[in-house]
Amino acid sequence: MAFWGRNTHIEKERHVKANARDYNDKFSYADNHIKTSKYNIFTFLPINLFEQFQRVANAYFLVLLILQLIPEISSLSWFTTIVPLVLVLVITAVKDATDDYFRHKSDQQVNNRQSQVLIRGSLQNEKWMNVRVGDIIKLENNQFVAADLLLLCSSEPYGLCYIETAELDGETNLKVRQALTVTSNLGDITELMDFDGEVICEPPNNKLDKFTGTLLWKDNKYPLDNEKMLLRGCILRNTEWCFGMVIFAGLQTKLMQNCGGTKFKRTSIDKLMNTLVLWIFAFLVCMGVILAIGNTVWESCLGRNFQVFLPWDEFQSSAVFSGFLTFWSYIIILNTVVPISLYVSVEVLRLGHSYFINWDRMMYCSQTDTAAEARTTTLNEELGQVEFIFSDKTGTLTQNIMVFSKCSINGQTYGDIYDEFQKKVEITEKTACVDFSFNALCDRRFKFYDSRLVEVIKLEDPAVQEFFRLLALCHTVMPEEKSEGNLMYQAQSPDEGALVTAARNFGFVFRARTPETITLCEMGRAVTYQLLAILDFNNVRKRMSVIVRNPQGQIKLYSKGADSIIFDRLHPSSQDLMYTTSEHLSEFAGEGLRTLALAYKDLDEDYFDVWMKKLLFASTVIENREDQLAVLYEEIEQGLKLVGATAIEDKLQEGVPETIACLNLADIKIWVLTGDKLETAMNIGYSCNMLRDDMNEVFIISGHTLLEVQQQLRSAKEHIIGLSRVSSAGGDEKVDVFADDSVFEETIIAEYALVINGHSLAHALEPQLEHTLLDLACLCKTVICCRVTPMQKAQVVELVKRHKRTVTLAIGDGANDVSMIKTAHIGVGISGQEGMQAVLASDYSFAQFWYLRRLLLVHGRWSYFRMCKFLCYFFYKNFAFTLVHFWYGFFCGFSAQTVYDQWFITLFNIVYTSLPVLAMGLFDQDVNDQNSLRYPSLYKLGQQNVLFNKRQFFLCTLQGMGTSFVLFFFPYGAFSVMVKEDGSHFSDQQAFAVTIATSLVIVVSVQIGLDTYYWTAVNHFFIWGSLTVYFAILFAMQSDGIFGILPSNFPFIGTARNSLSEKCVWLVILLTTVVCVVPGLVVSFLRVNLFPTLTDKVRHLQQSRKRQGPQEHNPRRVRRTSSRRSAYAFSHQQGYGELITSGKNMRMSSVTSARSPGREPPSSTWIENVLKRKNEVSCVSDENTGAPAVEQKQT
């Protein structure tokens, strides 16, 4: 990303000193002022005009304007070109300026936010734009972070603070950050003023999950990583205050680095129009050359005989020079084949289509009061041609909300409800919830529908009690009780919170914890358990356990994890229960629910003491500590007794499976690009029906080296193409599997899916492998990329854009999606509760993913259909209008005389025919919105680009040329033999011109009426109104009165009155109209009846059902049919258990108040020793010591 600034060298390492602006200024670091706008008051005019004249047509009209200013060659007034050209430039400039004004306004709002900065010994309020690198800033609860800060200290114990990263990644669950131990006590202003530490770190980059640096202070070095950074865009939560030192500011912050540059996007139709304008100009030159040669020949052979009557001007020296001047004159006369009004009309259409999107009530979300918004007016028809969709997961496909849905306890399932015939009843919003009024501490927002579970809880069933006791004890959640009974849970992952909340509502309330105890309220009774150990989760173990001592002195181990892991460690006595539970788990997984198995074990006191000594020893060794701990964990987690299983619904956005299924039917390929781990991404893939059990193969690419990735990609590709060729060739000899792969994309019937990890994707995007990756991905029905960085998201989109001539769309809701959104042809932002960075960078925005279906299949398809019909008709009518001059040239001595009155030439595209074609372009529809959604295959016409392409353009121009031929030669032939009622001949050119002009207006009006599928009152008004206006203006301009006022400007006096009063003239007009219209009508009739397209068939069905009521709006809910069981923990990560048992994330007051009265805390616990050692060797980065405490997700 480029930046405006004085610093021209590439920054390799950053040096920042606290409280030393003079020192930091010499490095010319960016200030905290941000700029997302494209223009300023000085650059707007040149840059905007440069962008507008990238349109070949605008440059073409500028050249024509210059030619029209030369009187020797111009036969038309200059105002016929300059007025429409200036109008187009001004309208476009105003639109661009308005868009940029809102960007300026947004920038100004952000730049003027207030922040408390430590300056000259005191905290002073400063605007964000004035914050500088090296400044120390104070943040208070619920404030946005102003810049990328190094956390120095906070109001929480041990320098902890909690942040919400919704603006960065769409995640609303809180993340933990912790200051260095040496700075965590700098709470006093004086101490902070004296802080003169220097940070040496990496240069600005866009990696949201990574930071590498070192703090130099008091002759010591302290390592810095991402867990000690607060990034711009985060919000401080549940922390009274904190202080941080600015490391990156403004455009160099990671948030802004991920925004990318504002790109100038143009549609494929725009690009095609540029090509067509060049073609038309070449055709224009050819016609000009033909007529110029004709003029030269005519002047040489016949013109000399007329020099007495038509003498040459003084500068005309020869017939050749006369032909040269005639060439330029005809270029001006014939330029209306591409009128400037075409571009005015296109802009009006796009604006109208954008307002239709904004006004669509079917895309309005009442929960968030958010309407769909077209943030650009230039890409609407591109929405009808999308072939690839790149979607974020969290916040886009899912809500990042986990709901406790069902469970299996001791072989009995709970969560479904049944009627009196024992048939399962579908749960809807109207279904009555279980009454939890018996529990004063219940969460009122929790909903459960099966009352049987409450009944067995009240009966004090031991298995059910043990189930919920396990859920209330085995977790890493932190409670916060703001007032009596008002509990708030801070969970590191949403499903942890869902499980603890479920236990809370069923009478086992997790009330408080200290490093050594957990306090529950079990069915109204306070019970305190001694916490002996936490066996933390990691990606290998896929489970977590806690060891507690209950008030009766019994030691118990409670464990929860993936069923495949737990089942392997069960005691033989649980075998029968395991089979039953396994069936329940398969049933849950088939409904798309995320499952966990729960088990416990009674521990012998002597055995536990021996094991604990081994654990303390293993926790002190330096080498292979993690391996030795894993062995001990494995040892004690054997012989478990199964309790049951939980089923959590990872709530998808409304209508996601249906939308994805519908878009797949429209031949749109959907790729999911997420920062989540592979397992989670695959679970969502199954939930969305993107992955299914009946797929032939799901290829997982997870190689760590270039060679491994290459081998896996090639192997998968050979598998697909090899099988396809064997099955199609019937056992013929196998040919090179890498030849002409694109041929097989359409012929492969089997369904495959590709899942690729972030580190593998980095290798796959290398130049030598990117073609193999793309070929394989295009052969697969579903592609999921997980653990990808924001830059990798953009690179994947760019790869498809570069090598596939298709339209791409990217949709996301977080700052980490901005690069992807800006790279794609069309960017869509999900608006609502989870940050606005994606929306601000997008072209379209709405509140729910399922609105994408209507945006593409209805608005996109209609916009493309309307724009194509508009362009076809516009070129047809203008070729018909203009080429009459070409035929006339052969009969007027190639003198560049116009057939029509000059006023007719000026008004034809602006007044007489502009509104009917606009009405068609705005309101026409081949099928209604219900059928557009019911038959997604209709969308394929846009992808195949069949409605307007070079072939269609050629056919339109051919029809226009044929119409112009008939328009000229039929009246010409008729006038040569026709007489008036009084016996006199029609010999004047003016009557001939009026006849042709009238025929032309009627023909194009009839043609647009025949081409219109969907009639509205506006269409009727514009078509018949335009004809009425034509005749009114015609008679007015050729009246005696206006001739008397301006005789030189209105020479056609009385022509309309005299010619249109003759019946034979109307017969000529009728004959001309019939001959022009009937052939096209016959061809259209035969095509629809003999070779109907899908659109024709659907329209016929629509007409036959016209009397029926509106059909279904929302399709039947798509249910997941997978039997794959989801694995443990949505975003759970190793390290949180140690944070809890250390007590670092607990205030001292809450820790001491929760202890048993009179009990002295032990001087040291095993886990505290581990944490002390961890702090002593904290100079080693997290990459070497293990995973960070809290996951920084990138979805």
Side-chain angles (χ1 to χ4, degrees):
M1 183 175 177
F3 300 95
W4 298 103
R6 298 163 289 171
N7 195 8
T8 57
H9 73 277
I10 298 175
E11 188 177 341
K12 295 181 179 178
E13 189 177 67
R14 172 157 293 210
H15 292 253
V16 180
K17 200 168 186 178
N19 296 314
R21 285 192 171 187
D22 293 338
Y23 173 82
N24 297 321
D25 283 347
K26 69 182 182 182
F27 296 105
S28 302
Y29 296 139
D31 58 24
N32 209 35
H33 178 272
I34 65 162
K35 176 179 175 289
T36 60
S37 55
K38 290 168 65 176
Y39 316 109
N40 60 39
I41 195 168
F42 301 107
T43 62
F44 173 74
L45 200 58
I47 293 178
N48 189 260
L49 286 176
F50 173 75
E51 287 177 348
Q52 291 204 57
F53 280 107
Q54 283 185 317
R55 278 182 174 171
V56 176
N58 285 345
Y60 163 70
F61 289 120
L62 184 63
V63 172
L64 282 177
L65 175 61
I66 296 169
L67 292 176
Q68 282 184 280
L69 296 175
I70 304 173
E72 287 77 15
I73 62 173
S74 177
S75 53
L76 291 174
S77 300
W78 57 270
F79 64 80
T80 59
T81 297
I82 194 170
V83 172
L85 177 61
V86 170
L87 188 64
V88 168
L89 296 176
V90 168
I91 289 175
T92 307
V94 168
K95 177 179 70 67
D96 291 342
T98 304
D99 290 345
D100 208 56
Y101 166 74
F102 286 112
R103 284 192 285 265
H104 271 287
K105 194 173 179 181
S106 174
D107 290 347
Q108 190 175 13
Q109 181 183 0
V110 172
N111 288 327
N112 288 331
R113 285 178 180 169
Q114 295 291 314
S115 186
Q116 297 182 69
V117 183
L118 199 58
I119 300 175
R120 292 185 294 275
S122 64
L123 285 172
Q124 299 181 15
N125 283 331
E126 280 278 8
K127 294 179 179 178
W128 276 24
M129 69 171 80
N130 297 327
V131 171
R132 309 259 284 277
V133 170
D135 286 352
I136 292 178
I137 295 177
K138 182 181 180 181
L139 295 175
E140 295 180 344
N141 195 32
N142 297 325
Q143 278 189 348
F144 277 96
V145 180
D148 289 356
L149 309 178
L150 169 65
L151 178 63
L152 296 178
C153 58
S154 75
S155 57
E156 303 300 298
Y158 303 98
L160 289 172
C161 75
Y162 300 91
I163 56 170
E164 181 184 296
T165 58
E167 288 282 346
L168 296 177
D169 54 18
E171 299 289 338
T172 52
N173 49 306
L174 300 187
K175 313 289 193 304
V176 177
R177 295 292 180 264
Q178 184 175 6
L180 286 168
T181 306
V182 292
T183 64
S184 60
N185 296 321
L186 296 175
D188 186 75
I189 297 294
T190 307
E191 292 176 340
L192 286 165
M193 277 303 302
D194 294 337
F195 178 67
D196 59 352
E198 181 179 2
V199 172
I200 302 173
C201 65
E202 61 190 17
N205 59 70
N206 62 358
K207 296 177 181 176
L208 292 169
D209 63 337
K210 187 178 179 183
F211 177 81
T212 305
T214 304
L215 172 65
L216 305 178
W217 189 39
K218 296 181 178 178
D219 299 326
N220 288 317
K221 293 184 178 181
Y222 305 94
L224 304 175
D225 55 29
N226 203 52
E227 301 305 309
K228 296 169 180 61
M229 295 294 294
L230 306 181
L231 301 185
R232 181 184 180 122
C234 297
I235 304 175
L236 192 68
R237 299 290 194 199
N238 296 349
T239 307
E240 190 177 336
W241 53 261
C242 74
F243 284 91
M245 170 183 167
V246 179
I247 305 298
F248 302 120
L251 295 175
Q252 293 182 339
T253 58
K254 291 182 183 284
L255 173 67
M256 298 307 298
Q257 289 274 314
N258 272 288
C259 286
T262 303
K263 297 183 179 179
F264 180 57
K265 295 185 178 181
R266 295 162 62 213
T267 66
S268 55
I269 285 183
D270 272 339
K271 296 170 185 174
L272 177 60
M273 288 283 290
N274 277 350
T275 304
L276 296 181
V277 166
L278 292 174
W279 283 15
I280 292 171
F281 184 71
F283 178 64
L284 195 59
V285 169
C286 290
M287 289 194 295
V289 168
I290 292 170
L291 294 169
I293 293 172
N295 178 266
T296 302
V297 173
W298 191 88
E299 288 287 356
S300 300
C301 301
L302 300 173
R304 299 179 188 278
N305 303 328
F306 292 89
Q307 284 202 24
V308 176
F309 176 61
L310 293 172
W312 282 357
D313 293 327
E314 294 179 4
F315 56 84
Q316 280 187 263
S317 57
S318 66
V320 174
F321 188 68
S322 174
F324 174 75
L325 295 178
T326 301
F327 169 79
W328 293 108
S329 297
Y330 271 113
I331 291 293
I332 294 171
I333 290 173
L334 299 174
N335 83 81
T336 49
V337 284
V338 187
I340 192 70
S341 60
L342 169 65
Y343 289 91
V344 178
S345 302
V346 165
E347 292 299 326
V348 171
L349 286 186
R350 286 172 171 168
L351 185 65
H353 295 163
S354 298
Y355 276 112
F356 292 154
I357 293 172
N358 296 347
W359 293 338
D360 192 345
R361 292 185 178 181
M362 302 295 290
M363 296 170 66
Y364 169 76
C365 181
S366 56
Q367 290 94 337
T368 59
D369 190 27
T370 306
E373 181 183 6
R375 298 172 58 82
T376 180
T377 59
T378 57
L379 301 174
N380 296 320
E381 64 269 18
E382 198 97 316
L383 288 170
Q385 298 179 278
V386 173
E387 282 194 53
F388 285 88
I389 292 177
F390 301 92
S391 175
D392 176 38
K393 184 190 74 66
T394 304
T396 304
L397 298 180
T398 67
Q399 301 179 35
N400 200 26
I401 297 174
M402 301 291 173
V403 176
F404 183 84
S405 179
K406 297 180 182 181
C407 61
S408 169
I409 306 175
N410 200 26
Q412 177 65 47
T413 60
Y414 300 94
D416 291 320
I417 54 175
Y418 300 87
D419 59 17
E420 60 270 21
F421 304 107
Q422 293 304 305
K423 290 185 177 180
K424 190 182 294 186
V425 178
E426 186 174 356
I427 295 173
T428 65
E429 291 182 359
K430 297 180 180 179
T431 306
C433 298
V434 170
D435 182 14
F436 290 106
S437 58
F438 72 92
N439 182 0
L441 294 174
C442 69
D443 186 340
R444 306 293 176 189
R445 296 166 297 178
F446 179 82
K447 292 182 179 180
F448 198 76
Y449 300 94
D450 189 353
S451 58
R452 295 176 301 148
L453 190 53
V454 175
E455 292 170 6
V456 294
I457 276 284
K458 290 179 179 178
L459 294 173
E460 298 185 356
D461 184 302
V464 176
Q465 288 192 334
E466 197 72 353
F467 178 89
F468 286 112
R469 185 176 292 116
L470 189 155
L471 292 182
L473 290 170
C474 185
H475 56 78
T476 56
V477 174
M478 291 299 301
E480 184 179 354
E481 193 162 358
K482 296 184 177 179
S483 58
E484 182 64 29
N486 183 17
L487 274 170
M488 295 288 292
Y489 291 145
Q490 299 296 340
Q492 65 148 324
S493 64
D495 48 357
E496 281 276 77
L499 294 173
V500 177
T501 300
R504 168 185 175 180
N505 274 60
F506 285 101
F508 285 75
V509 184
F510 170 52
R511 197 72 184 267
R513 73 154 76 239
T514 72
E516 300 89 27
T517 63
I518 297 177
T519 301
L520 305 184
C521 181
E522 298 183 357
M523 302 303 289
R525 300 186 302 272
V527 181
T528 299
Y529 293 83
Q530 184 182 353
L531 179 60
L532 302 175
I534 293 181
L535 283 56
D536 207 358
F537 167 87
N538 66 34
N539 287 324
V540 177
R541 284 168 43 75
K542 296 183 181 178
R543 64 190 183 279
M544 80 162 289
S545 303
V546 295
I547 301 175
V548 298
R549 189 192 303 272
N550 63 21
Q552 290 76 37
Q554 298 171 317
I555 300 176
K556 291 203 171 191
L557 179 145
Y558 291 104
S559 186
K560 66 180 180 184
D563 56 89
S564 58
I565 302 294
I566 297 294
F567 286 177
D568 288 343
R569 288 156 180 79
L570 291 179
H571 191 272
S573 62
S574 295
Q575 190 169 13
D576 292 339
L577 180 57
M578 182 186 75
Y579 291 137
T580 306
T581 306
S582 183
E583 291 177 4
H584 296 161
L585 285 168
S586 297
E587 181 184 332
F588 297 156
E591 297 175 19
L593 303 178
R594 300 169 53 77
T595 57
L596 287 177
L598 312 183
Y600 76 98
K601 178 181 180 181
D602 292 313
L603 297 177
D604 178 72
E605 185 84 39
D606 295 334
Y607 169 75
F608 175 73
D609 289 340
V610 173
W611 180 85
M612 195 65 177
K613 290 175 183 176
K614 293 180 184 177
L615 185 69
L616 289 173
F617 174 77
S619 64
T620 59
V621 300
I622 302 299
E623 294 183 1
N624 301 322
R625 180 188 301 172
E626 297 296 328
D627 294 338
Q628 292 191 39
L629 288 175
V631 170
L632 285 171
Y633 291 171
E634 183 74 23
E635 176 192 324
I636 202 168
E637 290 173 328
Q638 296 293 330
L640 302 175
K641 293 180 182 178
L642 186 62
V643 178
T646 61
I648 290 178
E649 182 182 1
D650 182 2
K651 288 190 77 69
L652 296 172
Q653 296 276 2
E654 183 182 349
V656 166
E658 295 87 347
T659 300
I660 289 174
C662 189
L663 294 177
N664 281 333
L665 291 174
D667 238 13
I668 298 174
K669 299 176 179 66
I670 301 177
W671 293 15
V672 175
L673 311 178
T674 175
D676 266 333
K677 56 189 178 185
L678 183 141
E679 209 161 43
T680 304
M682 290 184 69
N683 287 333
I684 295 301
Y686 279 101
S687 298
C688 297
N689 272 8
M690 295 178 68
L691 299 176
R692 299 192 312 277
D693 277 347
D694 58 358
M695 280 185 158
N696 295 65
E697 191 83 39
V698 177
F699 300 106
I700 299 178
I701 310 298
S702 56
H704 287 81
T705 66
L706 186 69
L707 197 60
E708 287 178 9
V709 173
Q710 182 180 36
Q711 181 59 40
Q712 289 176 354
L713 290 174
R714 286 180 177 273
S715 175
K717 191 175 175 185
E718 286 179 17
H719 179 83
I720 296 175
I721 298 177
L723 286 181
S724 299
R725 285 181 170 161
V726 167
S727 60
S728 61
D732 291 348
E733 185 179 353
K734 186 179 174 184
V735 294
D736 179 19
V737 295
F738 297 113
D740 299 325
D741 293 337
S742 58
V743 177
F744 292 92
E745 288 183 30
E746 300 298 327
T747 60
I748 290 177
I749 301 173
E751 292 187 353
Y752 299 94
L754 173 67
V755 181
I756 183 167
N757 231 319
H759 54 76
S760 304
L761 185 63
H763 295 302
L765 290 171
E766 293 289 333
Q768 62 267 40
L769 283 186
E770 61 179 19
H771 285 284
T772 308
L773 170 67
L774 186 60
D775 291 341
L776 175 60
C778 290
L779 293 172
C780 295
K781 186 176 180 66
T782 297
V783 177
I784 298 176
C785 303
C786 48
R787 282 295 186 209
V788 292
T789 64
M791 187 54 66
Q792 283 178 327
K793 291 185 179 185
Q795 287 172 341
V796 171
V797 177
E798 184 61 39
L799 176 67
V800 176
K801 275 182 66 178
R802 194 166 62 246
H803 296 294
K804 293 279 180 182
R805 294 183 179 179
T806 56
V807 178
T808 59
L809 180 148
I811 179 169
D813 72 322
N816 59 339
D817 302 315
V818 168
S819 294
M820 172 177 75
I821 285 171
K822 288 190 173 182
T823 302
H825 292 99
I826 301 168
V828 178
I830 301 290
S831 59
Q833 302 174 356
E834 302 194 346
M836 294 294 289
Q837 289 298 319
V839 170
L840 293 174
S842 67
D843 304 305
Y844 300 89
S845 67
F846 41 71
Q848 296 282 336
F849 178 84
W850 72 281
Y851 295 148
L852 182 63
R853 177 167 165 252
R854 186 170 179 85
L855 180 72
L856 297 184
L857 301 189
V858 177
H859 291 287
R861 202 182 70 80
W862 277 354
S863 293
Y864 173 72
F865 165 76
R866 290 164 176 168
M867 186 62 71
C868 292
K869 283 195 68 175
F870 165 82
L871 291 173
C872 287
Y873 177 78
F874 215 101
F875 282 119
Y876 154 74
K877 77 180 180 69
N878 280 286
F879 268 79
F881 163 62
T882 304
L883 291 189
V884 170
H885 293 297
F886 179 77
W887 310 121
Y888 184 56
F890 291 91
F891 297 89
C892 69
F894 305 97
S895 59
Q897 182 184 357
T898 58
V899 179
Y900 315 110
D901 171 24
Q902 182 170 295
W903 286 104
F904 179 80
I905 294 173
T906 304
L907 297 176
F908 176 74
N909 280 307
I910 297 176
V911 177
Y912 300 151
T913 60
S914 62
L915 294 180
V917 72
L918 275 178
M920 182 180 73
L922 283 172
F923 302 112
D924 199 23
Q925 47 184 259
D926 51 353
V927 299
N928 59 30
D929 56 342
Q930 289 97 338
N931 283 323
S932 295
L933 295 171
R934 190 178 294 113
Y935 302 102
S937 294
L938 292 170
Y939 189 82
K940 295 177 184 178
L941 292 176
Q943 296 170 333
Q944 297 160 4
N945 201 23
V946 298
L947 297 185
F948 186 73
N949 48 39
K950 293 171 183 176
R951 178 177 176 274
Q952 288 297 321
F953 169 74
F954 177 74
L955 292 175
C956 293
T957 56
L958 204 62
Q959 185 185 3
M961 291 171 70
T963 301
S964 71
F965 186 87
V966 172
L967 282 170
F968 178 79
F969 284 102
F970 271 58
Y972 182 81
F975 268 56
S976 64
V977 297
M978 197 169 63
V979 294
K980 296 182 181 179
E981 291 180 2
D982 60 2
S984 58
H985 284 277
F986 280 95
S987 57
D988 63 302
Q989 185 267 342
Q990 291 185 348
F992 180 62
V994 168
T995 304
I996 293 178
T998 304
S999 300
L1000 173 65
V1001 172
I1002 292 174
V1003 165
V1004 296
S1005 298
V1006 171
Q1007 189 64 52
I1008 199 170
L1010 294 173
D1011 287 345
T1012 300
Y1013 291 130
Y1014 183 72
W1015 283 83
T1016 65
V1018 177
N1019 293 81
H1020 282 287
F1021 177 75
F1022 281 175
I1023 289 177
W1024 309 125
S1026 293
L1027 283 171
T1028 304
V1029 167
Y1030 164 72
F1031 285 109
I1033 292 176
L1034 177 68
F1035 283 103
M1037 286 188 171
Q1038 298 183 12
S1039 65
D1040 298 344
I1042 200 163
F1043 175 79
I1045 300 171
L1046 296 168
S1048 60
N1049 290 328
F1050 299 96
F1052 279 46
I1053 179 174
T1055 305
R1057 184 172 63 248
N1058 293 333
S1059 58
L1060 296 181
S1061 62
E1062 299 290 335
K1063 295 177 183 176
C1064 54
V1065 171
W1066 284 106
L1067 284 173
V1068 170
I1069 293 172
L1070 178 63
L1071 176 65
T1072 305
T1073 303
V1074 169
V1075 173
C1076 286
V1077 170
V1078 166
L1081 198 60
V1082 170
V1083 170
S1084 177
F1085 175 80
L1086 292 175
R1087 183 189 60 78
V1088 170
N1089 285 277
L1090 298 180
F1091 309 102
T1093 63
L1094 178 61
T1095 306
D1096 298 326
K1097 295 173 183 176
V1098 173
R1099 190 163 57 249
H1100 176 72
L1101 283 173
Q1102 179 177 305
Q1103 291 168 351
S1104 65
R1105 295 173 178 171
K1106 191 174 285 185
R1107 294 185 179 182
Q1108 296 182 11
Q1111 302 296 313
E1112 55 172 336
H1113 270 302
N1114 296 318
R1116 181 172 53 86
R1117 178 176 171 83
V1118 177
R1119 294 248 176 218
R1120 172 181 161 184
T1121 57
S1122 167
S1123 61
R1124 180 182 186 276
R1125 297 177 194 164
S1126 52
Y1128 180 61
F1130 181 68
S1131 60
H1132 214 81
Q1133 191 157 348
Q1134 184 179 11
Y1136 222 81
E1138 292 189 0
L1139 189 62
I1140 286 172
T1141 52
S1142 71
K1144 284 193 170 186
N1145 57 342
M1146 304 175 196
R1147 295 180 182 275
M1148 293 308 295
S1149 57
S1150 64
V1151 171
T1152 53
S1153 62
R1155 285 201 180 101
S1156 304
R1159 181 185 171 194
E1160 289 295 321
S1163 59
S1164 177
T1165 66
W1166 67 276
I1167 201 71
E1168 285 173 347
N1169 292 330
V1170 175
L1171 282 165
K1172 286 176 183 176
R1173 282 187 295 276
K1174 183 178 178 182
N1175 289 332
E1176 289 168 3
V1177 294
S1178 62
C1179 57
V1180 183
S1181 67
D1182 279 340
E1183 292 180 2
N1184 297 325
T1185 58
V1190 179
E1191 180 177 9
Q1192 175 73 29
K1193 292 196 341 183
Q1194 298 177 17
T1195 45

